[in-house]
C-alpha cells in the first residue's frame, strides 16, 4: 500500500511539473514578440527625398473594395496595423514592426488563420516650423480634405493574397507601387464661384503659406441687380469639394441606382440628384430669399476642417475665417458686411461650428442654426462626463466594468464602443495624427504637449481621463458652460440668435449634451435667450428640425430650411436702419 501511494505521489509530481512547464511555455509564447517579416523597399520611383509618415497595413477577407476603404468602427471592419516612419532614406528598406498596434485585434500573433488580402498604404507627413517654436510632422491637406486613404501623393500597394497560419504571416516584400493622383479644381459656373485666399494669420502661425477657400452660390438676379447688397448664409461642415446639393440639370437617367446602407433606401444616389435639382429650381424661383450662400474649405494638418475656432495646436482659424475670409467674400460679391447680416448653420461638425462661432464672436454673426451638433456640453461628451468620470472606456464598479457604447441605431442597438473608435484612430496615427473624429476634438480643444502636439484628454490605450486637460477644455470650448458663465456679459448679443436641433436617438448620443444646454438656455434671464431647441422623435444623426421627412431627405435641405428660417427672424437681430427689402426682390 505504501509503495503504491509513493508511486502515485511521484506520478502526481511529474504530471504537475509537466503541466507547470506547459503553462510556462504557453505564457512565454503568448508574451513573445510576433515574428513578422514584411519588407517595404523605398518607393524611389515616386520620391527621391527622405520620407516621414505613417505605414498602415490592412488585412481583409474580401476585395469588394480595396482594404484601404474597409477600416471602420463596427464589426464589418477589416484589420489594421500602424507604425510611424521617420527619416526613411532612398537606400533603406522598412521592416514592418511586429509589435505595431492593431485594431480590432491588438497583435499579429492573435490573427485568425485563413486566406486574406494584404495592402499597405503610406500616409506622407511634412515638417512644420510653427511660430510657437515647435517643429511638428503632420500630413498637409492636398485638396482631398484630409482623407488618409484618398490623399494625393500617398502611396499604396496592390492588394495581394496571403495565408495566415496561427498568427503568422508569410515573409513578404510589398512594393508601394501605386500613387494617388491630384484632384482637379472645380470650375466656376454662372451661379457657383470658387475662391482661395492666402491667410496671413495662419501663414504666420504655421511658418508656411496657408490658404482658406470657399464655394460661393450667387443669388438669382445677382448680375442684373448691381446695386443690391446681400446677407451672407454660411454653411459650416466637413471639407466641401464643391457647393454640394446644387444641380442645374435633372437627374442623370442612366445613373445606376445605389442602395444606402445607412438609410436603408434603394436608389439613394438618384434621390440626392433630384434634391439637388429641386434646390436649383427653388433657388432661382420667384419666392426664394436672395442671399449669398457659401461653404468653406478650411482643412488643417489634423482634420478636414478646423472647427472654425482658434486653438493651440491648429492656430487662429476662427479669426482667419471671421476677419479675413468672410470680409473678402463680402467685398468681392457685394455682401452687406455687418454682423446681423451673416448667419451660420450646419449639422454635426458644422452644428458645433455654427454654435461655436456665434458664442465666440457674439456680434460678428447674426444668428446660428446648429443641427445634431458635436458635444456642446462636455458633461455629455457623447457618453462621457470628462469632469466626473475617471475612465472614458468603462463604467466601473467594485466587481466589474462595462464598455461604454460609441454608436447606436435609432432603436438603440450598439455596433461600436468608444474604445473601438479610439483604437481605430490609434492605428491611423500617433500623437493625434489620425485625421479622425476623436483626434480633431483634441487638436481643437486641448493645450499642446512638450513636443507641440495636442495633449490627450484621456489615455488612448486605457481610457484614463486627464483632469487638467478637462479643466482647460471647460474654460475654453465647453460651449454650454461658456454661455452660462458669460451670459451676463454677452446675453444681449446672443438673444434671438441660438437655435438647436437634434434627434433623440442620435447615433453618437449627441442629444444628451443638447438636453444639458437646453437647461442652461431655458434658465437665462435679462435677457431670455428667445431662440429654439427642438428634438426629432427616434431621429438619428443629422436631424435638423424637419418633422415631416426622414433624415435621408432633410439632411439634403439645410440651405432651404435655414435660409428661410433666418429671413423669417432677421428683424429680431437687425438694427432699425438695416436694409431688409432691397435683396428680397
Amino acid at each position: 500500500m505504501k509503495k503504491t501511494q509513493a508511486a502515485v505521489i511521484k506520478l502526481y509530481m511529474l504530471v504537475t511539473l509537466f503541466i507547470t512547464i506547459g503553462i510556462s511555455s504557453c505564457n512565454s509564447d503568448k508574451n513573445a514578440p510576433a515574428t513578422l517579416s514584411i519588407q517595404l523597399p523605398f518607393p524611389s520611383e515616386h520620391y527621391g527625398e527622405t520620407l516621414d509618415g505613417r505605414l498602415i497595413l490592412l488585412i481583409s477577407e474580401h476585395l469588394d473594395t480595396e482594404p484601404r476603404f474597409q477600416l471602420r468602427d463596427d464589426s464589418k471592419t477589416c484589420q489594421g496595423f500602424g507604425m510611424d516612419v521617420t527619416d526613411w532614406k532612398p537606400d533603406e528598406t522598412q521592416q514592418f514592426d511586429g509589435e505595431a498596434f492593431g485594431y480590432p485585434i491588438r497583435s499579429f500573433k492573435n490573427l485568425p488563420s485563413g486566406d486574406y488580402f494584404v495592402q499597405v498604404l503610406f500616409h506622407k507627413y511634412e515638417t512644420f516650423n510653427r511660430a510657437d517654436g515647435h517643429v511638428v510632422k503632420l500630413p498637409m491637406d492636398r485638396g482631398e480634405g484630409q482623407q488618409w486613404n484618398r490623399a494625393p501623393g500617398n502611396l499604396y500597394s496592390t492588394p495581394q493574397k496571403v495565408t495566415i497560419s496561427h498568427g503568422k504571416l508569410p515573409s513578404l516584400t510589398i512594393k508601394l507601387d501605386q500613387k494617388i493622383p491630384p484632384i482637379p479644381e472645380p470650375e466656376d459656373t454662372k451661379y457657383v464661384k470658387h475662391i482661395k485666399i492666402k491667410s496671413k494669420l495662419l501663414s504666420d502661425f504655421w511658418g508656411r503659406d496657408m490658404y482658406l477657400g470657399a464655394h460661393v452660390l450667387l443669388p438669382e438676379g445677382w448680375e442684373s441687380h448691381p446695386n443690391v447688397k446681400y446677407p451672407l448664409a454660411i454653411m459650416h461642415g466637413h471639407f466641401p469639394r464643391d457647393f454640394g446639393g446644387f444641380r442645374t440639370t435633372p437627374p442623370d437617367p442612366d445613373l445606376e441606382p445605389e442602395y444606402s446602407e445607412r438609410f436603408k433606401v434603394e436608389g439613394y444616389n438618384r434621390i440626392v440628384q433630384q434634391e439637388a435639382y429641386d434646390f436649383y429650381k427653388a433657388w432661382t424661383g420667384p419666392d426664394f430669399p436672395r442671399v449669398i450662400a457659401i461653404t468653406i474649405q478650411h482643412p488643417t494638418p489634423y482634420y478636414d476642417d478646423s472647427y472654425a475656432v482658434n486653438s493651440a495646436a491648429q492656430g487662429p482659424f476662427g479669426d482667419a475665417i471671421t476677419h479675413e475670409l468672410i470680409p473678402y467674400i463680402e467685398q468681392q460679391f457685394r455682401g452687406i458686411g455687418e454682423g446681423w447680416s451673416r448667419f451660420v448653420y450646419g449639422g454635426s461638425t458644422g452644428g458645433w461650428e455654427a454654435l461655436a462661432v456665434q458664442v465666440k464672436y457674439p456680434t460678428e454673426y447674426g444668428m446660428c442654426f446648429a443641427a445634431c451638433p458635436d458635444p456642446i456640453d462636455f458633461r455629455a461628451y457623447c457618453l462621457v462626463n470628462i469632469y466626473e468620470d475617471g475612465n472614458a472606456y468603462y463604467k466601473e464598479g467594485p466587481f466589474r466594468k462595462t464598455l461604454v457604447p460609441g454608436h447606436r441605431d435609432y432603436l438603440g442597438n450598439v455596433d461600436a464602443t468608444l474604445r473601438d473608435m479610439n483604437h481605430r484612430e490609434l492605428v491611423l496615427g500617433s500623437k493625434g495624427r489620425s485625421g479622425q473624429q476623436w483626434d480633431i476634438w483634441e487638436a481643437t480643444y486641448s493645450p499642446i504637449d512638450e513636443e507641440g502636439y495636442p495633449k490627450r484628454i484621456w489615455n488612448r490605450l486605457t481610457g484614463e481621463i486627464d483632469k487638467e486637460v478637462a479643466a482647460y477644455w471647460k474654460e475654453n470650448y465647453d460651449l454650454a458652460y461658456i454661455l452660462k458663465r458669460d451670459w451676463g456679459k454677452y446675453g444681449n448679443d446672443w438673444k434671438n440668435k441660438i437655435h438647436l436641433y437634434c434627434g433623440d436617438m442620435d447615433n453618437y448620443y449627441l442629444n444628451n449634451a443638447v438636453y444639458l444646454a437646453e437647461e442652461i438656455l431655458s434658465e437665462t434671464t435679462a435677457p431670455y435667450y428667445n431662440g429654439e431647441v427642438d428634438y426629432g422623435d427616434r431621429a438619428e444623426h443629422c436631424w435638423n428640425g424637419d418633422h415631416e421627412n426622414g433624415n435621408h431627405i432633410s439632411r439634403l435641405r439645410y440651405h432651404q430650411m435655414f435660409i428661410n428660417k433666418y429671413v423669417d427672424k432677421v428683424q429680431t437681430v437687425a438694427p432699425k436702419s438695416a436694409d431688409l427689402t432691397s435683396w428680397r426682390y
Side-chain angles (χ1 to χ4, degrees):
M1 186 68 177
K2 291 182 179 180
K3 284 177 127 183
T4 303
Q5 287 179 330
V8 169
I9 291 171
K10 186 175 181 180
L11 179 60
Y12 172 79
M13 293 177 65
L14 285 171
V15 170
T16 302
L17 177 62
F18 287 138
I19 290 174
T20 302
I21 292 172
I23 292 173
S24 175
S25 176
C26 288
N27 287 337
S28 176
D29 289 342
K30 185 176 181 180
N31 296 322
T35 56
L36 189 70
S37 179
I38 298 179
Q39 308 289 327
L40 294 112
F42 186 90
S44 56
E45 65 272 26
H46 298 296
Y47 290 110
E49 78 272 22
T50 300
L51 295 176
D52 299 310
R54 184 78 170 174
L55 279 172
I56 302 165
L57 173 66
L58 303 149
I59 303 171
S60 174
E61 281 190 322
H62 58 84
L63 280 182
D64 296 346
T65 58
E66 292 181 48
R68 63 188 169 117
F69 299 123
Q70 296 182 35
L71 196 66
R72 47 194 285 175
D73 291 328
D74 63 19
S75 61
K76 296 179 181 179
T77 186
C78 70
Q79 173 67 36
F81 294 94
M83 62 173 281
D84 287 332
V85 173
T86 303
D87 296 327
W88 189 4
K89 296 179 175 57
D91 58 348
E92 293 179 349
T93 295
Q94 286 289 330
Q95 165 75 40
F96 203 90
D97 184 5
E99 292 299 293
F101 183 83
Y103 162 84
I105 295 174
R106 171 67 181 82
S107 173
F108 281 102
K109 58 179 170 283
N110 294 326
L111 291 174
S113 299
D115 294 329
Y116 299 94
F117 294 94
V118 172
Q119 185 177 40
V120 175
L121 181 140
F122 179 73
H123 192 23
K124 184 185 177 186
Y125 294 169
E126 299 181 26
T127 300
F128 295 82
N129 295 280
R130 287 198 320 231
D132 60 7
H134 289 288
V135 179
V136 292
K137 296 180 185 293
L138 295 162
M140 185 70 173
D141 180 74
R142 297 163 225 152
E144 86 291 350
Q146 277 298 0
Q147 303 298 315
W148 63 274
N149 50 10
R150 299 181 185 274
N154 276 358
L155 304 171
Y156 62 97
S157 67
T158 302
Q160 56 182 294
K161 195 170 185 178
V162 300
T163 297
I164 296 176
S165 179
H166 303 291
K168 294 182 179 180
L169 276 74
S171 296
L172 299 172
T173 297
I174 297 179
K175 293 184 178 180
L176 299 170
D177 55 358
Q178 307 291 320
K179 187 175 183 178
I180 301 174
I183 297 172
E185 296 285 345
E187 296 182 359
D188 285 355
T189 67
K190 174 185 175 181
Y191 293 102
V192 180
K193 310 298 180 183
H194 308 90
I195 66 165
K196 182 177 287 187
I197 66 167
K198 177 182 174 181
S199 166
K200 183 180 186 306
L201 290 171
L202 296 174
S203 298
D204 288 348
F205 176 84
W206 284 102
R208 63 161 68 187
D209 290 349
M210 297 289 285
Y211 296 86
L212 293 170
H215 309 304
V216 182
L217 179 62
L218 298 177
E220 178 70 14
W222 182 83
E223 292 178 338
S224 59
H225 293 74
N227 297 320
V228 173
K229 292 186 176 181
Y230 301 89
L232 188 65
I234 305 163
M235 182 175 182
H236 278 289
H238 296 288
F239 182 89
R241 279 282 306 124
D242 206 332
F243 197 99
F246 185 82
R247 179 186 177 91
T248 59
T249 57
D252 180 0
D254 298 323
L255 184 66
E256 187 72 25
E258 294 178 355
Y259 177 74
S260 169
E261 179 185 2
R262 175 181 177 183
F263 298 113
K264 309 295 188 291
V265 174
E266 293 284 358
Y268 190 58
N269 53 339
R270 290 184 173 180
I271 293 174
V272 170
Q273 289 194 0
Q274 183 64 55
E275 286 290 323
Y277 181 57
D278 289 345
F279 176 44
Y280 157 72
K281 291 189 292 184
W283 181 261
T284 57
D287 301 322
F288 202 88
R290 306 309 181 194
V291 303
I292 300 168
I294 68 170
T295 56
I296 303 174
Q297 289 183 325
H298 48 119
T300 85
Y302 284 99
Y303 198 54
D304 69 4
D305 77 20
S306 67
Y307 272 66
V309 293
N310 300 340
S311 66
Q314 299 187 109
F317 271 93
D319 287 351
I321 292 169
T322 300
H323 300 308
E324 292 180 331
L325 179 66
I326 287 175
Y328 176 85
I329 292 171
E330 290 170 330
Q331 182 181 24
Q332 293 295 309
F333 299 103
R334 302 200 311 271
I336 293 172
E338 298 178 20
W340 68 267
S341 68
R342 304 166 181 154
F343 62 101
V344 290
Y345 55 97
S348 191
T349 290
W352 190 93
E353 291 168 336
L355 181 60
V357 299
Q358 187 66 79
V359 169
K360 295 280 188 178
Y361 303 92
T363 61
E364 283 92 340
Y365 297 97
M367 208 174 293
C368 78
F369 301 92
C372 54
D374 288 1
I376 57 176
D377 189 314
F378 295 154
R379 291 174 294 170
Y381 185 56
C382 297
L383 288 180
V384 180
N385 183 330
I386 66 171
Y387 311 125
E388 296 184 4
D389 293 341
N391 192 287
Y393 297 163
Y394 303 99
K395 298 297 182 185
E396 298 184 87
F399 301 109
R400 64 159 290 170
K401 54 185 181 180
T402 302
L403 280 166
V404 173
H407 188 273
R408 64 178 173 180
D409 68 12
Y410 76 102
L411 293 175
N413 298 304
V414 175
D415 59 13
T417 70
L418 206 56
R419 186 184 65 179
D420 296 332
M421 300 164 89
N422 281 257
H423 283 185
R424 180 178 67 87
E425 293 192 11
L426 270 181
V427 164
L428 296 177
S430 64
K431 302 178 182 178
R433 296 180 291 194
S434 71
Q436 304 295 298
Q437 186 61 76
W438 298 90
D439 275 351
I440 182 54
W441 284 336
E442 287 180 333
T444 303
Y445 309 147
S446 287
I448 55 174
D449 63 18
E450 62 279 0
E451 292 184 273
Y453 298 100
K455 281 189 175 181
R456 296 294 199 190
I457 183 64
W458 58 64
N459 182 304
R460 280 304 181 90
L461 284 175
T462 67
E464 182 181 358
I465 296 173
D466 186 323
K467 296 303 180 180
E468 289 186 7
V469 175
Y472 181 93
W473 282 32
K474 181 176 184 178
E475 293 300 324
N476 293 280
Y477 300 100
D478 187 326
L479 300 181
Y481 167 77
I482 293 170
L483 283 168
K484 183 176 182 178
R485 182 192 68 192
D486 295 344
W487 194 262
K489 185 176 182 180
Y490 296 116
N492 283 316
D493 296 322
W494 286 327
K495 69 177 181 180
N496 301 315
K497 295 182 177 180
I498 297 173
H499 308 82
L500 307 177
Y501 311 91
C502 198
D504 64 12
M505 287 300 290
D506 186 276
N507 303 102
Y508 302 96
Y509 306 90
L510 301 176
N511 49 303
N512 293 356
V514 177
Y515 298 146
L516 296 173
E518 182 185 19
E519 291 177 4
I520 290 171
L521 290 170
S522 65
E523 295 172 357
T524 55
T525 57
Y528 181 63
Y529 88 103
N530 198 35
E532 181 182 20
V533 182
D534 194 10
Y535 303 96
D537 178 37
R538 289 188 296 178
E540 296 186 67
H541 193 52
C542 289
W543 190 80
N544 57 12
D546 184 347
H547 288 279
E548 297 180 3
N549 297 283
N551 274 12
H552 69 295
I553 297 296
S554 61
R555 67 186 292 271
L556 304 174
R557 296 180 178 178
Y558 272 74
H559 303 297
Q560 299 96 306
M561 291 180 62
F562 294 132
I563 289 173
N564 280 295
K565 277 181 176 287
Y566 165 79
V567 172
D568 289 343
K569 299 171 180 285
V570 64
Q571 72 278 358
T572 66
V573 297
K576 291 182 179 180
S577 59
D579 174 12
L580 300 180
T581 58
S582 68
W583 47 273
R584 301 173 84 165
Y585 52 80

